[in-house]
Amino acid sequence: MEPPDARAGARRAPRLLVLALLLAAQPGSKAEVRLSVPPLVEVMRGESVTLDCSPLGTHDYFMLEWFLVDRSEVRHLLASAELRGSELRDKVLNSRGRSPPYQLDSRGRLVLPEAQVADERDYVCVVKAGAAGTAEATARLKVYVKPEAPEVSSYKGTLTVMSDFAEEIATCTSRNGNPVPQIKWYRNGQSLAVPLEVNSEGYVTIRTVREASGLLSFSSTLYLRLHKPDREASFHCSAHYYLPAGQHGRLDSPSFSLNLHYPTEHVLFWLGSQSTAEGWVREGDSVQLLCRGDGSPSPEYTFFRLQDKQEDVLKTSLEGNLTLERVQRNQSGTYGCRVEDYDAPEDAELSKTLELQVAYLDSLELSTGEELSLPLGNSTTATCSARGLPTPTLYWTKDSAPVGEDPTLSLHSVTFDSAGTYTCEAYMPRIPLLSLTRSFRLLVQGTPEIKAKETQPKVKGSWTEGDEVTLICYARGYPEPKLSWSQLGGSPTEPAPGGQGWVSSSLTLKVTSALSQDGVSCEASNPLGNTQHVFHFGTVAPQTSQAGVAVMAVAISVALLLLVVAIFYCMRRKGRPCYCRQGEKRSPPPGDPKLSHSGSEQPEQTGLLKGSASGGANHGSGGFGDEC
């Protein structure tokens, strides 16, 4: 911490102080010398500093001297020089072992390179101006050093909240600073207002040490009377240091917590494994009992079971855990936990109990067995029973759809729709995943029931001879029926899509006039009887339009064949040309030569070709004549 007199002088004095010291060479002299000297110079360690001592006014000659004032108020000459005109002469320097040494600039100012803590002194400037007199002034040099980050050493043992006096908590040290810093303490980020005077609730003691380097180290030890909430508190300290020009800095230490000893006041006891709010657990599960007291250090726990109002000790531990492996129904009962803490208040409740209830569900029983067969239209009941704790809830489903919520299921006037799988489920609403199921299959005996998929004609009105149609027949009953057709080609009987006991068969055929009269029948039969369905087609129209097309095609084919024969016949004529027209004969034109009946066939073929070309060019007819 900065000496109070130095800081008070710095606050009171102006930045530049003009000292007018009228010192005559002889008594009664009127001459005077005025000096301009800063009373306080502040600098950080390592920076260069210059101390000014400037005489005011014009002096042709004066003598300048700089002195260092030690702690015993003894002056030591550091530098001297003479000023003649504007030139500073005859400089004399005494470094007094300082490194780097003192310097004197051309204006007579004292220069201290790389300011050190040891330089923090008073420096006196003396000016002798002959007949004008002598004057002197003092400049105080202040060297600042930022301290190291504070170190905190907390108490490593166990502190108690049962003490009536403040106990030592921790010591905070800030090293190697100048001036000495201030240390403050914090709890949960809030500043602690602790005095220096010893008292039962809390105080601090401080210590300042000057190191061999001349720097200062500051320690603060905190004493507090602790309370139970302090077990979760976070403590730390901070060093507040000074800088030139009235600036400040702050360095914080790491935070720390305390290891407190405090008695147990409350105890918690609960089931750590999956359970219901009422304490039910499933038989066969592993059950964990957890017990926790709020004392520190952790107390000892004793687990017990109450049987006939007597404690049967099960386990003693420091962890507060008890596991019951694969719990059975005979382990239901009252369990307890007790905290062994002899420092606890007399009114503290250190024992807790809870009820452990083991739920179980024994196998289901059905009155019907796994399969039940009833004639069509009959009635019956099926009973489901189960043993368990707590009492299980029963309900019935048929093919997964709910059908009843009572242990007894009534089946009245059964139909084929009543057939299926019935399931009884026993469950416990308060116990998850604890349930059992049993099922039986109901078979309804009777003459087969039949239904058909009617097929409509492609064109609305009636069927046409030759139309292809697919007929489908469905049947159900027990025993399972077989399907047969009045026409050949039916598919084998197989289960129908959608189940529910239906079977099906299909038949693909062409519609004829005969079928329109008799129809097609499908029959479902089992040992108990048979049922028939007849498919009717109504009116079946003949294929007239197709017959006319066929006759026309035959007639055109015959006409083309006759035309080809006629052309060939005309070309085979020999000896005379032949012109054939439809329905007449013509004589050859005048001047045509008679064809020879002898010789090769080449002339005959040539004449034939020419005759054909001539006939086409001269007469323009596209038909062919009869034979000439």
Side-chain angles (χ1 to χ4, degrees):
M1 183 179 296
E2 185 179 3
D5 57 342
R7 298 197 58 82
R11 289 192 295 268
R12 291 194 302 268
R15 187 63 179 170
L16 294 178
L17 175 64
V18 178
L19 298 179
L21 301 177
L22 304 178
L23 297 175
Q26 298 180 359
S29 174
K30 300 299 183 181
E32 62 179 1
V33 178
R34 296 177 182 273
L35 299 179
S36 174
V37 177
L40 178 65
V41 178
E42 297 177 316
V43 65
M44 292 297 295
R45 184 178 64 172
E47 297 179 352
S48 180
V49 60
T50 300
L51 303 180
D52 192 10
C53 180
S54 302
L56 300 177
T58 302
H59 301 276
D60 293 334
Y61 169 84
F62 66 85
M63 182 125 180
L64 174 67
E65 293 177 328
W66 279 100
F67 294 90
L68 169 66
V69 182
D70 65 14
R71 299 184 185 277
S72 301
E73 301 297 331
V74 178
R75 294 185 179 187
H76 302 276
L77 181 63
L78 299 179
S80 64
E82 294 182 4
L83 179 66
R84 293 185 180 275
S86 60
E87 184 178 358
L88 199 64
R89 296 179 178 182
D90 300 329
K91 295 181 185 179
V92 177
L93 294 173
N94 181 10
S95 67
R96 294 183 54 80
R98 189 185 191 279
S99 179
Y102 300 105
Q103 299 175 11
L104 204 61
D105 67 7
S106 61
R107 295 171 52 189
R109 298 182 300 180
L110 184 64
V111 179
L112 290 76
E114 300 178 15
Q116 304 166 14
V117 177
D119 295 330
E120 193 172 85
R121 294 287 187 272
D122 288 345
Y123 295 85
V124 178
C125 170
V126 178
V127 174
K128 298 178 181 179
T134 300
E136 70 175 43
T138 301
R140 173 162 292 182
L141 178 61
K142 190 68 177 176
V143 179
Y144 291 88
V145 180
K146 176 183 177 181
E148 299 173 5
E151 299 176 357
V152 64
S153 174
S154 61
Y155 185 75
K156 301 302 181 183
T158 300
L159 298 167
T160 180
V161 300
M162 304 179 68
S163 174
D164 294 332
F165 300 97
E167 296 186 88
E168 181 180 340
I169 302 302
T171 297
C172 181
T173 303
S174 176
R175 303 181 188 277
N176 300 319
N178 192 64
V180 66
Q182 290 184 342
I183 288 181
K184 293 184 178 181
W185 289 95
Y186 299 85
R187 174 169 52 196
N188 297 329
Q190 301 296 320
S191 178
L192 285 172
V194 283
L196 293 173
E197 296 80 15
V198 176
N199 64 81
S200 61
E201 291 300 321
Y203 59 94
V204 294
T205 60
I206 60 176
R207 181 187 179 201
T208 302
V209 176
R210 184 174 294 276
E211 307 290 350
S213 61
L215 297 174
L216 299 171
S217 295
F218 186 78
S219 297
S220 174
T221 302
L222 174 66
Y223 295 81
L224 284 179
R225 182 181 177 186
L226 298 172
H227 303 278
K228 194 170 182 179
D230 290 326
R231 70 188 185 276
E232 299 175 351
S234 174
F235 295 86
H236 80 281
C237 64
S238 65
H240 298 255
Y241 56 92
Y242 303 100
L243 295 172
Q247 300 295 313
H248 295 82
R250 171 176 169 171
L251 294 171
D252 289 287
S253 74
S255 60
F256 64 93
S257 57
L258 302 177
N259 184 18
L260 292 185
H261 167 236
Y262 45 87
T264 302
E265 295 178 350
H266 303 92
V267 176
L268 296 177
F269 188 36
W270 73 99
L271 289 174
S273 55
Q274 185 177 18
S275 63
T276 67
E278 298 83 5
W280 288 99
V281 296
R282 291 181 304 180
E283 187 175 41
D285 285 353
S286 293
V287 179
Q288 192 175 41
L289 304 178
L290 300 178
C291 187
R292 294 292 182 270
D294 62 351
S296 176
S298 178
E300 187 177 70
Y301 299 93
T302 298
F303 291 92
F304 57 89
R305 181 181 179 186
L306 287 177
Q307 292 184 325
D308 298 329
K309 298 183 180 181
Q310 299 295 320
E311 290 187 4
D312 181 11
V313 176
L314 303 176
K315 180 182 179 182
T316 299
S317 73
L318 294 175
E319 294 79 18
N321 301 335
L322 173 63
T323 300
L324 304 177
E325 302 288 349
R326 298 186 59 82
V327 66
Q328 300 299 310
R329 63 188 67 178
N330 60 2
Q331 291 178 272
S332 295
T334 303
Y335 289 79
C337 165
R338 182 173 56 254
V339 174
E340 310 293 349
D341 190 344
Y342 300 103
D343 293 328
E346 294 183 358
D347 59 347
E349 187 179 357
L350 301 182
S351 182
K352 294 283 186 179
T353 60
L354 59 79
E355 291 296 322
L356 176 65
Q357 304 185 81
V358 181
Y360 60 90
L361 181 61
D362 290 337
S363 59
L364 290 176
E365 295 182 2
L366 292 179
S367 61
T368 59
E370 295 183 355
E371 191 171 274
L372 175 63
S373 180
L374 286 178
L376 190 67
N378 280 20
S379 301
T380 190
T381 59
T383 302
C384 176
S385 61
R387 294 186 303 275
L389 187 70
T391 303
T393 299
L394 301 175
Y395 75 99
W396 289 92
T397 61
K398 175 183 179 292
D399 299 329
S400 301
V403 292
E405 296 182 354
D406 296 322
T408 300
L409 176 67
S410 298
L411 300 172
H412 300 285
S413 302
V414 296
T415 65
F416 289 134
D417 287 329
S418 305
T421 300
Y422 291 81
T423 301
C424 173
E425 179 173 354
Y427 72 100
M428 298 178 178
R430 292 179 291 177
I431 317 296
L433 304 179
L434 188 57
S435 63
L436 288 175
T437 59
R438 287 289 300 275
S439 301
F440 74 91
R441 184 184 177 195
L442 175 63
L443 304 174
V444 178
Q445 301 174 346
T447 302
E449 176 185 351
I450 196 169
K451 66 178 181 179
K453 183 178 180 181
E454 299 286 353
T455 303
Q456 302 298 325
K458 296 179 181 179
V459 179
K460 190 173 182 180
S462 63
W463 295 94
T464 301
E465 187 89 17
D467 283 348
E468 187 175 87
V469 64
T470 298
L471 308 176
I472 303 176
C473 200
Y474 301 92
R476 66 175 175 178
Y478 185 80
E480 184 178 278
K482 298 294 183 181
L483 290 168
S484 59
W485 298 87
S486 60
Q487 298 290 325
L488 297 177
S491 66
T493 302
E494 58 185 12
Q500 297 183 346
W502 290 96
V503 295
S504 67
S505 177
S506 61
L507 172 66
T508 301
L509 46 70
K510 293 184 181 296
V511 177
T512 64
S513 299
L515 292 179
S516 68
Q517 298 176 4
D518 302 331
V520 177
S521 64
C522 165
E523 185 178 77
S525 60
N526 68 4
L528 300 179
N530 56 70
T531 306
Q532 188 180 71
H533 176 82
V534 179
F535 294 87
H536 296 281
F537 297 94
T539 303
V540 177
Q543 297 179 339
T544 54
S545 58
Q546 295 182 4
V549 171
V551 172
M552 185 177 295
V554 172
I556 292 174
S557 299
V558 172
L560 290 175
L561 180 61
L562 292 176
L563 180 59
V564 171
V565 172
I567 293 172
F568 181 74
Y569 179 78
C570 289
M571 291 176 64
R572 295 292 296 172
R573 296 280 298 176
K574 295 182 180 180
R576 59 185 178 87
C578 178
Y579 299 91
C580 301
R581 291 187 176 179
Q582 187 176 7
E584 71 175 25
K585 296 181 180 180
R586 289 188 60 184
S587 61
D592 280 355
K594 295 182 179 179
L595 297 177
S596 174
H597 295 280
S598 63
S600 66
E601 295 180 357
Q602 181 66 29
E604 179 181 345
Q605 293 175 359
T606 303
L608 179 60
L609 291 174
K610 288 181 179 180
S612 298
S614 173
N618 294 333
H619 307 288
S621 174
F624 297 89
D626 295 335
E627 182 178 353
C628 300

